[in-house]
Structures are given as C-alpha cells and as structure tokens.
Amino acid sequence: MIGGRDLLPRVASAIVLAAIAILGAWLGGIATAILVAVAAGIVHLEWTGVTEGSQRAALPFSVLIAVVMLVAGIGEVEIAAGIAVAAAVAAGVTGPRPWRPAGVVYAAVFGLALLILREGDLGLAAIAFVFAVVWATDIGAYFAGRAIGGPKLWPVVSPKKTWAGAIGGLVAAVIAGLATAAVVGLPLAGALVVVIVVMSVAGQAGDFFESFIKRRFGVKDSGTIIPGHGGMMDRVDGLVFAAAVAVLFGFLHSGATDVARGLISW
C-alpha cells in the first residue's frame, strides 16, 4: 500500500497549510510578513525545543525573529538582516550551546528568504515557482519512495528515504517548476531546468538536515502542531534550504534590486 494510515491526515494538513501559504503569498505586503513572522517564530521555538529540551529559553529570540520579519515586510530588509545577525550573536552569548545561535540563523533565513522573494512585481510568480518546486519534490519523493522502494539514500540519518524517492521528487519538481513557469508566461529555457534541479536537491538536503538534527537529539518530530506531519519545522525543512538557494540564484542573475525577477528569468 502506497499511502498507509498516515496518508489522510498528511493530505488534509498539507491542503490546509498550502491554502494558508498561497493566501499569504497572494496578499503580499504586511499580511505576508505577519504570516511569515508567525511561521518563523514557531520554527525557532521548535528548534530550541529539539536542541535544548525546552522552548523557554527561546521565547525572547522567537519574538526578535518575528520582529525581523515585520521589519522586512515594510521594506527594510537590510535593517531586518542586521537585527537577525545581532540576535544570533546575542543567542551565542547567552548560552553555551552552539545550537542556540544556529536556530536563530535557521529561522531568520527561512523567513527572510520568502519575504525577499515576494518583493517586486514578479514576487508572487517567484513564490509560486518556489512553492511548486518544493511541494512537488516532497510529493514525488513520498509516492515514488513508497511505490518503488529500493536502496536507501542515507539510512544513518533518515532510514526511510530511498534513491527512488529522491529521483521521483526531482522529476516531479522539474515538471511542476516548468509548468508553473509556463502558466506565468516565462520562457522555458534550459537554465531554468538547472535552477529547478538545484532547488529540488537543496530542498531534499534541507529535509536531511532536519532529520540529522532530530536524530542528533533523539527526537522523532519537531512538534505536534500539524497532524500527520509533526511540527512546523517538519513541514518547512525543505523550503528553508530551497528558498535560500532561490534567493541566491535571483541575486546572481539580477542583483539585490529585483531578486524575484532574477530567479524566474533564467
């Protein structure tokens, strides 16, 4: 059986989350910033819960991360990035654990990457493109892995993931990415396929990274907020890395002035 008992709650949760994410991206501006601020704050709380066994120490930094997203949402990205750096330094000073500042960086990169991509007249198209690639990677990997099985990809870190799943996710990402580009009227260039492939691989690397963190601290899920998925971190782990790579591609192509256009015009 491809799905299993967890399939229905996974699908239901994924639909609800996708609807919220799409609505937030569609609204833009401060509405998107508020949604991202909430998500990034939760991610940071969960990170601290995993790495320190308690979320209590994380609360001031989670609030700072939310503030960072709101500042970025009003267009002050440089100031927001500066606050994030200061928060990471403060997190390193206030505790002996190296994972505390890493959590600030992880959550801040997640939120800032999404807000940077949403800026500009092509921001919505860029976000849709990133979502399509990441979600298709997850879906393709899940079903290909369940249906085909075969050799494990990295069993020490994530014993369920297979090579078949990784390849299935990659193929699904290319199809979804090109389809999204076609819908928004972009030329289907070979360079765009390379961008999609790298983003899909980055998304899968993000999934492995979170699996490594959880295995390092002996935790099964980052939280219980999402039925069938665990925590927010469990749901956005691939998006963190893929969105960061998308920002890098956009910056390399068009500079900091219009990252969204730079991403989807390769």
mmCIF file of all heavy atoms in Angstrom, residues 10 17 39 42-44 46-47 50 106 110 134-135 138 161 203 206-215 219-240:
data_model
loop_
_atom_site.group_PDB
_atom_site.id
_atom_site.type_symbol
_atom_site.label_atom_id
_atom_site.label_comp_id
_atom_site.label_asym_id
_atom_site.label_seq_id
_atom_site.Cartn_x
_atom_site.Cartn_y
_atom_site.Cartn_z
ATOM 1 N N ARG A 10 -2.016 13.498 6.621
ATOM 2 C CA ARG A 10 -0.956 14.215 5.913
ATOM 3 C C ARG A 10 -1.533 15.050 4.780
ATOM 4 O O ARG A 10 -1.195 16.222 4.605
ATOM 5 C CB ARG A 10 0.080 13.235 5.346
ATOM 6 C CG ARG A 10 1.012 12.634 6.375
ATOM 7 C CD ARG A 10 1.955 11.635 5.721
ATOM 8 N NE ARG A 10 2.874 12.295 4.806
ATOM 9 C CZ ARG A 10 4.066 12.750 5.148
ATOM 10 N NH1 ARG A 10 4.489 12.639 6.396
ATOM 11 N NH2 ARG A 10 4.843 13.323 4.253
ATOM 12 N N LEU A 17 -2.423 23.814 4.967
ATOM 13 C CA LEU A 17 -1.202 24.619 5.006
ATOM 14 C C LEU A 17 -0.937 25.292 3.666
ATOM 15 O O LEU A 17 -0.522 26.460 3.609
ATOM 16 C CB LEU A 17 -0.013 23.737 5.399
ATOM 17 C CG LEU A 17 0.043 23.301 6.861
ATOM 18 C CD1 LEU A 17 1.131 22.251 7.043
ATOM 19 C CD2 LEU A 17 0.283 24.485 7.775
ATOM 20 N N ALA A 39 5.177 31.944 11.339
ATOM 21 C CA ALA A 39 5.794 30.671 10.961
ATOM 22 C C ALA A 39 7.251 30.609 11.412
ATOM 23 O O ALA A 39 7.702 29.599 11.963
ATOM 24 C CB ALA A 39 5.709 30.475 9.449
ATOM 25 N N ILE A 42 7.532 30.152 15.183
ATOM 26 C CA ILE A 42 7.236 28.773 15.576
ATOM 27 C C ILE A 42 8.410 27.861 15.250
ATOM 28 O O ILE A 42 8.781 26.988 16.047
ATOM 29 C CB ILE A 42 5.951 28.275 14.890
ATOM 30 C CG1 ILE A 42 4.742 29.035 15.418
ATOM 31 C CG2 ILE A 42 5.774 26.770 15.102
ATOM 32 C CD1 ILE A 42 3.461 28.744 14.663
ATOM 33 N N VAL A 43 8.996 28.047 14.075
ATOM 34 C CA VAL A 43 10.165 27.244 13.687
ATOM 35 C C VAL A 43 11.272 27.394 14.719
ATOM 36 O O VAL A 43 11.904 26.411 15.130
ATOM 37 C CB VAL A 43 10.667 27.646 12.282
ATOM 38 C CG1 VAL A 43 12.080 27.107 12.031
ATOM 39 C CG2 VAL A 43 9.710 27.125 11.210
ATOM 40 N N HIS A 44 11.505 28.625 15.164
ATOM 41 C CA HIS A 44 12.568 28.838 16.144
ATOM 42 C C HIS A 44 12.241 28.199 17.486
ATOM 43 O O HIS A 44 13.116 27.612 18.139
ATOM 44 C CB HIS A 44 12.849 30.324 16.326
ATOM 45 C CG HIS A 44 13.977 30.586 17.265
ATOM 46 N ND1 HIS A 44 13.765 30.989 18.565
ATOM 47 C CD2 HIS A 44 15.321 30.437 17.128
ATOM 48 C CE1 HIS A 44 14.944 31.109 19.175
ATOM 49 N NE2 HIS A 44 15.900 30.783 18.321
ATOM 50 N N GLU A 46 10.426 25.572 17.955
ATOM 51 C CA GLU A 46 10.576 24.126 17.797
ATOM 52 C C GLU A 46 12.048 23.724 17.756
ATOM 53 O O GLU A 46 12.439 22.694 18.329
ATOM 54 C CB GLU A 46 9.860 23.661 16.532
ATOM 55 C CG GLU A 46 8.346 23.757 16.636
ATOM 56 C CD GLU A 46 7.632 23.291 15.390
ATOM 57 O OE1 GLU A 46 8.291 23.121 14.338
ATOM 58 O OE2 GLU A 46 6.404 23.102 15.452
ATOM 59 N N TRP A 47 12.860 24.518 17.079
ATOM 60 C CA TRP A 47 14.300 24.235 17.030
ATOM 61 C C TRP A 47 14.871 24.172 18.449
ATOM 62 O O TRP A 47 15.616 23.256 18.785
ATOM 63 C CB TRP A 47 15.011 25.316 16.224
ATOM 64 C CG TRP A 47 16.512 25.215 16.241
ATOM 65 C CD1 TRP A 47 17.349 25.540 17.274
ATOM 66 C CD2 TRP A 47 17.358 24.725 15.193
ATOM 67 N NE1 TRP A 47 18.654 25.311 16.931
ATOM 68 C CE2 TRP A 47 18.688 24.809 15.667
ATOM 69 C CE3 TRP A 47 17.118 24.261 13.899
ATOM 70 C CZ2 TRP A 47 19.780 24.425 14.874
ATOM 71 C CZ3 TRP A 47 18.208 23.881 13.112
ATOM 72 C CH2 TRP A 47 19.513 23.958 13.607
ATOM 73 N N VAL A 50 13.799 21.103 20.330
ATOM 74 C CA VAL A 50 14.547 19.914 19.917
ATOM 75 C C VAL A 50 15.957 19.933 20.488
ATOM 76 O O VAL A 50 16.429 18.941 21.049
ATOM 77 C CB VAL A 50 14.598 19.808 18.374
ATOM 78 C CG1 VAL A 50 15.575 18.718 17.930
ATOM 79 C CG2 VAL A 50 13.214 19.521 17.815
ATOM 80 N N TYR A 106 18.775 29.801 11.338
ATOM 81 C CA TYR A 106 17.895 28.911 10.576
ATOM 82 C C TYR A 106 16.517 29.545 10.373
ATOM 83 O O TYR A 106 16.007 29.614 9.238
ATOM 84 C CB TYR A 106 17.771 27.590 11.328
ATOM 85 C CG TYR A 106 16.988 26.505 10.634
ATOM 86 C CD1 TYR A 106 17.583 25.702 9.666
ATOM 87 C CD2 TYR A 106 15.657 26.255 10.972
ATOM 88 C CE1 TYR A 106 16.883 24.680 9.049
ATOM 89 C CE2 TYR A 106 14.942 25.240 10.356
ATOM 90 C CZ TYR A 106 15.559 24.452 9.399
ATOM 91 O OH TYR A 106 14.843 23.444 8.789
ATOM 92 N N PHE A 110 14.969 31.303 6.815
ATOM 93 C CA PHE A 110 13.687 30.823 6.301
ATOM 94 C C PHE A 110 12.742 31.980 5.998
ATOM 95 O O PHE A 110 12.219 32.125 4.885
ATOM 96 C CB PHE A 110 13.068 29.867 7.332
ATOM 97 C CG PHE A 110 11.591 29.645 7.184
ATOM 98 C CD1 PHE A 110 11.072 29.109 6.023
ATOM 99 C CD2 PHE A 110 10.720 29.975 8.218
ATOM 100 C CE1 PHE A 110 9.694 28.899 5.892
ATOM 101 C CE2 PHE A 110 9.360 29.764 8.103
ATOM 102 C CZ PHE A 110 8.847 29.229 6.928
ATOM 103 N N VAL A 134 9.230 22.942 -4.403
ATOM 104 C CA VAL A 134 9.399 22.294 -3.093
ATOM 105 C C VAL A 134 8.286 21.287 -2.835
ATOM 106 O O VAL A 134 8.537 20.149 -2.413
ATOM 107 C CB VAL A 134 9.453 23.345 -1.972
ATOM 108 C CG1 VAL A 134 9.458 22.676 -0.605
ATOM 109 C CG2 VAL A 134 10.694 24.217 -2.132
ATOM 110 N N TRP A 135 7.045 21.691 -3.070
ATOM 111 C CA TRP A 135 5.927 20.785 -2.807
ATOM 112 C C TRP A 135 5.961 19.577 -3.733
ATOM 113 O O TRP A 135 5.674 18.458 -3.309
ATOM 114 C CB TRP A 135 4.612 21.539 -2.939
ATOM 115 C CG TRP A 135 4.414 22.576 -1.873
ATOM 116 C CD1 TRP A 135 5.132 22.716 -0.713
ATOM 117 C CD2 TRP A 135 3.451 23.637 -1.865
ATOM 118 N NE1 TRP A 135 4.671 23.787 0.015
ATOM 119 C CE2 TRP A 135 3.655 24.379 -0.650
ATOM 120 C CE3 TRP A 135 2.452 24.045 -2.743
ATOM 121 C CZ2 TRP A 135 2.877 25.492 -0.325
ATOM 122 C CZ3 TRP A 135 1.670 25.148 -2.425
ATOM 123 C CH2 TRP A 135 1.876 25.862 -1.229
ATOM 124 N N ASP A 138 8.521 17.111 -2.488
ATOM 125 C CA ASP A 138 8.015 16.342 -1.347
ATOM 126 C C ASP A 138 7.039 15.259 -1.789
ATOM 127 O O ASP A 138 7.125 14.101 -1.361
ATOM 128 C CB ASP A 138 7.330 17.271 -0.342
ATOM 129 C CG ASP A 138 8.315 18.113 0.443
ATOM 130 O OD1 ASP A 138 9.527 17.804 0.397
ATOM 131 O OD2 ASP A 138 7.894 19.083 1.100
ATOM 132 N N LYS A 161 14.185 7.160 3.635
ATOM 133 C CA LYS A 161 14.355 7.793 2.331
ATOM 134 C C LYS A 161 15.172 6.904 1.390
ATOM 135 O O LYS A 161 16.200 6.352 1.785
ATOM 136 C CB LYS A 161 15.014 9.165 2.479
ATOM 137 C CG LYS A 161 14.112 10.174 3.178
ATOM 138 C CD LYS A 161 14.761 11.526 3.263
ATOM 139 C CE LYS A 161 13.809 12.548 3.857
ATOM 140 N NZ LYS A 161 13.391 12.195 5.218
ATOM 141 N N GLY A 203 16.221 21.383 -1.438
ATOM 142 C CA GLY A 203 15.082 21.054 -0.599
ATOM 143 C C GLY A 203 15.241 19.700 0.069
ATOM 144 O O GLY A 203 14.950 19.538 1.259
ATOM 145 N N GLY A 206 17.711 19.980 2.790
ATOM 146 C CA GLY A 206 17.106 20.576 3.969
ATOM 147 C C GLY A 206 16.339 19.555 4.784
ATOM 148 O O GLY A 206 16.350 19.594 6.027
ATOM 149 N N ASP A 207 15.680 18.645 4.095
ATOM 150 C CA ASP A 207 14.969 17.559 4.779
ATOM 151 C C ASP A 207 15.953 16.681 5.552
ATOM 152 O O ASP A 207 15.718 16.327 6.718
ATOM 153 C CB ASP A 207 14.223 16.728 3.730
ATOM 154 C CG ASP A 207 13.154 15.841 4.354
ATOM 155 O OD1 ASP A 207 13.149 15.698 5.585
ATOM 156 O OD2 ASP A 207 12.343 15.288 3.600
ATOM 157 N N PHE A 208 17.069 16.346 4.916
ATOM 158 C CA PHE A 208 18.087 15.543 5.585
ATOM 159 C C PHE A 208 18.707 16.291 6.768
ATOM 160 O O PHE A 208 18.997 15.698 7.811
ATOM 161 C CB PHE A 208 19.191 15.135 4.603
ATOM 162 C CG PHE A 208 18.898 13.870 3.868
ATOM 163 C CD1 PHE A 208 18.594 13.887 2.513
ATOM 164 C CD2 PHE A 208 18.924 12.646 4.520
ATOM 165 C CE1 PHE A 208 18.321 12.714 1.834
ATOM 166 C CE2 PHE A 208 18.656 11.464 3.853
ATOM 167 C CZ PHE A 208 18.347 11.499 2.501
ATOM 168 N N PHE A 209 18.895 17.592 6.599
ATOM 169 C CA PHE A 209 19.478 18.385 7.678
ATOM 170 C C PHE A 209 18.595 18.331 8.922
ATOM 171 O O PHE A 209 19.072 18.131 10.040
ATOM 172 C CB PHE A 209 19.671 19.831 7.228
ATOM 173 C CG PHE A 209 20.179 20.742 8.310
ATOM 174 C CD1 PHE A 209 21.490 20.665 8.743
ATOM 175 C CD2 PHE A 209 19.331 21.668 8.909
ATOM 176 C CE1 PHE A 209 21.959 21.507 9.757
ATOM 177 C CE2 PHE A 209 19.786 22.509 9.905
ATOM 178 C CZ PHE A 209 21.107 22.420 10.339
ATOM 179 N N GLU A 210 17.286 18.507 8.718
ATOM 180 C CA GLU A 210 16.395 18.461 9.866
ATOM 181 C C GLU A 210 16.372 17.057 10.476
ATOM 182 O O GLU A 210 16.322 16.904 11.699
ATOM 183 C CB GLU A 210 14.987 18.881 9.472
ATOM 184 C CG GLU A 210 14.151 19.299 10.666
ATOM 185 C CD GLU A 210 12.762 18.683 10.669
ATOM 186 O OE1 GLU A 210 12.465 17.865 9.784
ATOM 187 O OE2 GLU A 210 11.995 18.995 11.580
ATOM 188 N N SER A 211 16.418 16.033 9.621
ATOM 189 C CA SER A 211 16.466 14.660 10.136
ATOM 190 C C SER A 211 17.725 14.437 10.974
ATOM 191 O O SER A 211 17.682 13.779 12.025
ATOM 192 C CB SER A 211 16.438 13.660 8.967
ATOM 193 O OG SER A 211 15.214 13.721 8.271
ATOM 194 N N PHE A 212 18.845 15.015 10.520
ATOM 195 C CA PHE A 212 20.089 14.908 11.279
ATOM 196 C C PHE A 212 19.956 15.569 12.651
ATOM 197 O O PHE A 212 20.387 15.017 13.677
ATOM 198 C CB PHE A 212 21.239 15.549 10.497
ATOM 199 C CG PHE A 212 22.449 15.834 11.337
ATOM 200 C CD1 PHE A 212 23.304 14.817 11.732
ATOM 201 C CD2 PHE A 212 22.730 17.132 11.754
ATOM 202 C CE1 PHE A 212 24.414 15.075 12.521
ATOM 203 C CE2 PHE A 212 23.836 17.404 12.545
ATOM 204 C CZ PHE A 212 24.675 16.371 12.927
ATOM 205 N N ILE A 213 19.352 16.767 12.673
ATOM 206 C CA ILE A 213 19.182 17.483 13.941
ATOM 207 C C ILE A 213 18.322 16.661 14.897
ATOM 208 O O ILE A 213 18.658 16.494 16.084
ATOM 209 C CB ILE A 213 18.542 18.871 13.709
ATOM 210 C CG1 ILE A 213 19.470 19.766 12.876
ATOM 211 C CG2 ILE A 213 18.222 19.545 15.038
ATOM 212 C CD1 ILE A 213 20.783 20.087 13.529
ATOM 213 N N LYS A 214 17.221 16.144 14.413
ATOM 214 C CA LYS A 214 16.330 15.361 15.272
ATOM 215 C C LYS A 214 16.999 14.080 15.755
ATOM 216 O O LYS A 214 16.861 13.696 16.922
ATOM 217 C CB LYS A 214 15.028 15.044 14.536
ATOM 218 C CG LYS A 214 14.156 16.263 14.280
ATOM 219 C CD LYS A 214 12.792 15.901 13.754
ATOM 220 C CE LYS A 214 12.853 15.255 12.399
ATOM 221 N NZ LYS A 214 11.505 15.011 11.830
ATOM 222 N N ARG A 215 17.727 13.425 14.869
ATOM 223 C CA ARG A 215 18.422 12.194 15.272
ATOM 224 C C ARG A 215 19.542 12.528 16.266
ATOM 225 O O ARG A 215 19.789 11.763 17.208
ATOM 226 C CB ARG A 215 18.993 11.501 14.035
ATOM 227 C CG ARG A 215 19.627 10.144 14.326
ATOM 228 C CD ARG A 215 19.850 9.375 13.038
ATOM 229 N NE ARG A 215 18.583 8.951 12.471
ATOM 230 C CZ ARG A 215 17.962 7.816 12.777
ATOM 231 N NH1 ARG A 215 18.491 7.002 13.671
ATOM 232 N NH2 ARG A 215 16.828 7.495 12.214
ATOM 233 N N VAL A 219 14.985 12.978 18.864
ATOM 234 C CA VAL A 219 13.603 13.443 18.780
ATOM 235 C C VAL A 219 12.980 12.932 17.484
ATOM 236 O O VAL A 219 13.615 12.980 16.426
ATOM 237 C CB VAL A 219 13.549 14.987 18.809
ATOM 238 C CG1 VAL A 219 12.136 15.494 18.604
ATOM 239 C CG2 VAL A 219 14.119 15.510 20.122
ATOM 240 N N LYS A 220 11.748 12.463 17.567
ATOM 241 C CA LYS A 220 11.070 11.942 16.367
ATOM 242 C C LYS A 220 10.491 13.062 15.519
ATOM 243 O O LYS A 220 10.661 13.099 14.304
ATOM 244 C CB LYS A 220 9.964 10.963 16.765
ATOM 245 C CG LYS A 220 9.262 10.308 15.571
ATOM 246 C CD LYS A 220 8.182 9.354 16.036
ATOM 247 C CE LYS A 220 7.552 8.630 14.838
ATOM 248 N NZ LYS A 220 6.840 9.572 13.941
ATOM 249 N N ASP A 221 9.755 13.985 16.146
ATOM 250 C CA ASP A 221 9.153 15.117 15.448
ATOM 251 C C ASP A 221 9.542 16.411 16.149
ATOM 252 O O ASP A 221 9.783 16.416 17.363
ATOM 253 C CB ASP A 221 7.623 15.005 15.429
ATOM 254 C CG ASP A 221 7.138 13.824 14.593
ATOM 255 O OD1 ASP A 221 7.696 13.603 13.509
ATOM 256 O OD2 ASP A 221 6.203 13.128 15.040
ATOM 257 N N SER A 222 9.563 17.491 15.382
ATOM 258 C CA SER A 222 9.920 18.779 15.987
ATOM 259 C C SER A 222 8.787 19.347 16.829
ATOM 260 O O SER A 222 9.001 20.240 17.647
ATOM 261 C CB SER A 222 10.292 19.785 14.893
ATOM 262 O OG SER A 222 9.169 20.094 14.080
ATOM 263 N N GLY A 223 7.579 18.839 16.639
ATOM 264 C CA GLY A 223 6.435 19.321 17.401
ATOM 265 C C GLY A 223 5.203 18.508 17.064
ATOM 266 O O GLY A 223 5.285 17.470 16.387
ATOM 267 N N THR A 224 4.055 18.990 17.493
ATOM 268 C CA THR A 224 2.787 18.289 17.258
ATOM 269 C C THR A 224 1.730 19.208 16.673
ATOM 270 O O THR A 224 0.551 18.863 16.640
ATOM 271 C CB THR A 224 2.260 17.689 18.579
ATOM 272 O OG1 THR A 224 2.084 18.750 19.531
ATOM 273 C CG2 THR A 224 3.230 16.663 19.139
ATOM 274 N N ILE A 225 2.132 20.351 16.181
ATOM 275 C CA ILE A 225 1.177 21.371 15.750
ATOM 276 C C ILE A 225 0.430 20.988 14.477
ATOM 277 O O ILE A 225 -0.684 21.445 14.233
ATOM 278 C CB ILE A 225 1.904 22.730 15.581
ATOM 279 C CG1 ILE A 225 0.893 23.859 15.441
ATOM 280 C CG2 ILE A 225 2.858 22.700 14.395
ATOM 281 C CD1 ILE A 225 1.519 25.229 15.441
ATOM 282 N N ILE A 226 1.029 20.119 13.635
ATOM 283 C CA ILE A 226 0.445 19.775 12.345
ATOM 284 C C ILE A 226 0.138 18.280 12.305
ATOM 285 O O ILE A 226 1.069 17.462 12.270
ATOM 286 C CB ILE A 226 1.377 20.151 11.181
ATOM 287 C CG1 ILE A 226 1.755 21.628 11.261
ATOM 288 C CG2 ILE A 226 0.714 19.843 9.846
ATOM 289 C CD1 ILE A 226 2.800 22.047 10.252
ATOM 290 N N PRO A 227 -1.121 17.877 12.291
ATOM 291 C CA PRO A 227 -1.458 16.447 12.245
ATOM 292 C C PRO A 227 -0.859 15.748 11.021
ATOM 293 O O PRO A 227 -0.951 16.247 9.902
ATOM 294 C CB PRO A 227 -2.995 16.459 12.166
ATOM 295 C CG PRO A 227 -3.405 17.765 12.747
ATOM 296 C CD PRO A 227 -2.307 18.733 12.371
ATOM 297 N N GLY A 228 -0.216 14.618 11.255
ATOM 298 C CA GLY A 228 0.360 13.851 10.163
ATOM 299 C C GLY A 228 1.743 14.291 9.759
ATOM 300 O O GLY A 228 2.431 13.596 9.015
ATOM 301 N N HIS A 229 2.167 15.458 10.216
ATOM 302 C CA HIS A 229 3.469 15.996 9.837
ATOM 303 C C HIS A 229 4.372 16.275 11.032
ATOM 304 O O HIS A 229 5.583 16.351 10.887
ATOM 305 C CB HIS A 229 3.306 17.292 9.039
ATOM 306 C CG HIS A 229 2.721 17.096 7.681
ATOM 307 N ND1 HIS A 229 3.440 16.670 6.593
ATOM 308 C CD2 HIS A 229 1.451 17.249 7.239
ATOM 309 C CE1 HIS A 229 2.653 16.581 5.537
ATOM 310 N NE2 HIS A 229 1.443 16.931 5.897
ATOM 311 N N GLY A 230 3.800 16.467 12.216
ATOM 312 C CA GLY A 230 4.603 16.817 13.383
ATOM 313 C C GLY A 230 4.565 18.306 13.626
ATOM 314 O O GLY A 230 3.517 18.900 13.859
ATOM 315 N N GLY A 231 5.739 18.934 13.556
ATOM 316 C CA GLY A 231 5.834 20.359 13.820
ATOM 317 C C GLY A 231 5.974 21.184 12.555
ATOM 318 O O GLY A 231 6.041 20.659 11.440
ATOM 319 N N MET A 232 6.030 22.497 12.727
ATOM 320 C CA MET A 232 6.233 23.403 11.600
ATOM 321 C C MET A 232 7.571 23.126 10.918
ATOM 322 O O MET A 232 7.677 23.144 9.691
ATOM 323 C CB MET A 232 6.183 24.849 12.096
ATOM 324 C CG MET A 232 6.324 25.890 10.997
ATOM 325 S SD MET A 232 4.901 25.966 9.901
ATOM 326 C CE MET A 232 3.681 26.719 10.988
ATOM 327 N N MET A 233 8.592 22.869 11.718
ATOM 328 C CA MET A 233 9.909 22.562 11.153
ATOM 329 C C MET A 233 9.855 21.342 10.255
ATOM 330 O O MET A 233 10.531 21.288 9.213
ATOM 331 C CB MET A 233 10.912 22.302 12.284
ATOM 332 C CG MET A 233 12.000 23.353 12.410
ATOM 333 S SD MET A 233 13.071 23.020 13.840
ATOM 334 C CE MET A 233 14.026 21.656 13.213
ATOM 335 N N ASP A 234 9.067 20.334 10.627
ATOM 336 C CA ASP A 234 8.942 19.132 9.820
ATOM 337 C C ASP A 234 8.302 19.429 8.472
ATOM 338 O O ASP A 234 8.524 18.708 7.506
ATOM 339 C CB ASP A 234 8.088 18.085 10.555
ATOM 340 C CG ASP A 234 8.720 17.634 11.860
ATOM 341 O OD1 ASP A 234 9.932 17.383 11.855
ATOM 342 O OD2 ASP A 234 8.008 17.549 12.866
ATOM 343 N N ARG A 235 7.517 20.476 8.411
ATOM 344 C CA ARG A 235 6.814 20.810 7.175
ATOM 345 C C ARG A 235 7.629 21.734 6.273
ATOM 346 O O ARG A 235 7.482 21.690 5.049
ATOM 347 C CB ARG A 235 5.476 21.479 7.532
ATOM 348 C CG ARG A 235 4.536 21.681 6.409
ATOM 349 C CD ARG A 235 4.086 20.377 5.783
ATOM 350 N NE ARG A 235 4.308 20.375 4.351
ATOM 351 C CZ ARG A 235 4.613 19.318 3.628
ATOM 352 N NH1 ARG A 235 4.793 18.164 4.196
ATOM 353 N NH2 ARG A 235 4.772 19.414 2.346
ATOM 354 N N VAL A 236 8.456 22.600 6.848
ATOM 355 C CA VAL A 236 9.142 23.612 6.031
ATOM 356 C C VAL A 236 10.640 23.347 5.894
ATOM 357 O O VAL A 236 11.363 24.193 5.357
ATOM 358 C CB VAL A 236 8.916 25.036 6.592
ATOM 359 C CG1 VAL A 236 7.431 25.350 6.688
ATOM 360 C CG2 VAL A 236 9.590 25.209 7.948
ATOM 361 N N ASP A 237 11.111 22.186 6.356
ATOM 362 C CA ASP A 237 12.553 21.923 6.337
ATOM 363 C C ASP A 237 13.151 22.051 4.936
ATOM 364 O O ASP A 237 14.215 22.645 4.748
ATOM 365 C CB ASP A 237 12.870 20.550 6.943
ATOM 366 C CG ASP A 237 12.005 19.438 6.368
ATOM 367 O OD1 ASP A 237 11.217 19.689 5.437
ATOM 368 O OD2 ASP A 237 12.113 18.297 6.859
ATOM 369 N N GLY A 238 12.461 21.504 3.937
ATOM 370 C CA GLY A 238 12.963 21.626 2.569
ATOM 371 C C GLY A 238 12.854 23.045 2.042
ATOM 372 O O GLY A 238 13.719 23.517 1.292
ATOM 373 N N LEU A 239 11.802 23.750 2.439
ATOM 374 C CA LEU A 239 11.584 25.114 1.970
ATOM 375 C C LEU A 239 12.673 26.061 2.454
ATOM 376 O O LEU A 239 13.047 26.996 1.739
ATOM 377 C CB LEU A 239 10.206 25.598 2.441
ATOM 378 C CG LEU A 239 9.746 26.970 1.982
ATOM 379 C CD1 LEU A 239 9.701 27.052 0.459
ATOM 380 C CD2 LEU A 239 8.374 27.299 2.576
ATOM 381 N N VAL A 240 13.189 25.823 3.653
ATOM 382 C CA VAL A 240 14.253 26.689 4.191
ATOM 383 C C VAL A 240 15.437 26.724 3.240
ATOM 384 O O VAL A 240 15.908 27.793 2.825
ATOM 385 C CB VAL A 240 14.709 26.203 5.578
ATOM 386 C CG1 VAL A 240 15.871 27.055 6.085
ATOM 387 C CG2 VAL A 240 13.558 26.245 6.576
#
